[in-house]
């Protein structure tokens, strides 16, 4: 609550880029619904810094476009950004390689890609047809009946441990206060 609403820390936090922000989605949302507000996106994000769900709810309600911001956190998650940068770098290197590498080097690289792909396919076929059938009885998945039986047994043991942890006793005849006549 302290880092919301035009608060100094909210403005600084947004400008420093601390934490994930829905900036990409907000920009594309305004491109779709209200292009004049694209220039105000930074101000809007700093106003709602730390309370982005409130911003999302207000935008969806105002423009009637529900579900547009689903999973916005993954847009700027560190690994997503890293992979995006990695693919951009790969594309740039491929362009530079195609432009500047001698023909013989390009031919060698193409042959290596083909040969590694061929070896991978043959190795996968060998594994699938000859190696895995030998290892499957030792490492494979048990049949459905045995798996179901093991699952039920594990559930019973877990329930028993829960009861013991809570201190509940079972209903047995030796604890009953019935008078025998």
């Amino acid at each position: 609550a302290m880092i919301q609403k035009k608060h100094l820390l909210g403005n600084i936090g947004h400008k420093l880029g601390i934490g994930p922000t829905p900036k990409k989605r907000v920009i594309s949302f305004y491109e779709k619904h209200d292009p004049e507000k694209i220039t105000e996106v930074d101000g809007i994000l700093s106003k709602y810094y730390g309370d982005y769900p409130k911003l999302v709810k207000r935008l969806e309600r105002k423009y009637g476009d529900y579900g547009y911001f689903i999973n916005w956190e993954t847009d700027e998650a560190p690994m997503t950004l890293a992979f995006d940068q990695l693919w951009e770098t790969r594309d740039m290197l491929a362009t530079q390689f195609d432009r500047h590498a001698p023909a013989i080097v390009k031919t060698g690289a193409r042959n290596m890609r083909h040969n590694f792909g061929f070896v991978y396919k043959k190795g996968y076929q060998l594994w699938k047809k000859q190696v895995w059938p030998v290892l499957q009885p030792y490492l494979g998945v048990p049949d459905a009946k045995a798996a179901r039986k093991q699952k039920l047994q594990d559930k019973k043991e877990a329930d028993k441990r829960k009861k013991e942890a809570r201190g509940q006793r079972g209903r047995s005849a030796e604890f009953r206060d019935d008078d025998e006549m």
Side-chain angles (χ1 to χ4, degrees), residues 33-116:
H33 294 288
D34 194 1
E36 291 88 33
K37 289 204 173 189
I38 291 176
T39 57
E40 301 172 21
V41 168
D42 282 330
I44 293 169
L45 289 174
S46 66
K47 178 181 175 183
Y48 288 97
Y49 179 77
D51 197 14
Y52 293 125
K54 189 175 184 180
L55 168 67
V56 167
K57 190 183 289 184
R58 285 187 176 175
L59 288 174
E60 288 178 340
R61 191 179 308 135
K62 181 176 181 180
Y63 294 100
D65 191 356
Y66 296 96
Y68 193 83
F69 290 93
I70 292 175
N71 295 328
W72 67 264
E73 297 91 353
T74 59
D75 288 349
E76 295 188 17
M79 287 306 291
T80 304
L81 292 175
F83 278 116
D84 288 347
Q85 186 64 40
L86 185 65
W87 290 118
E88 286 177 23
T89 304
R90 180 194 157 277
D91 292 341
M92 187 269 306
L93 287 174
T95 303
Q96 293 297 320
F97 180 80
D98 289 341
R99 183 179 300 153
H100 300 293
I104 192 149
V105 174
K106 290 179 189 177
T107 303
R110 186 179 63 244
N111 289 344
M112 284 174 44
R113 273 195 306 271
H114 172 75
N115 290 338
F116 283 133

Side-chain angles (χ1 to χ4, degrees), residues 144-174:
K145 191 174 183 180
R148 193 175 320 113
K149 184 178 177 183
Q150 183 64 42
K151 200 174 193 179
L152 289 172
Q153 183 181 356
D154 291 344
K155 186 180 183 316
K156 285 180 184 177
E157 290 174 6
D159 289 343
K160 185 178 177 183
R161 283 194 302 272
K162 280 184 187 177
K163 277 187 177 180
E164 290 172 359
R166 288 187 297 210
Q168 292 181 349
R169 59 183 169 87
R171 295 180 184 168
S172 66
E174 53 189 71

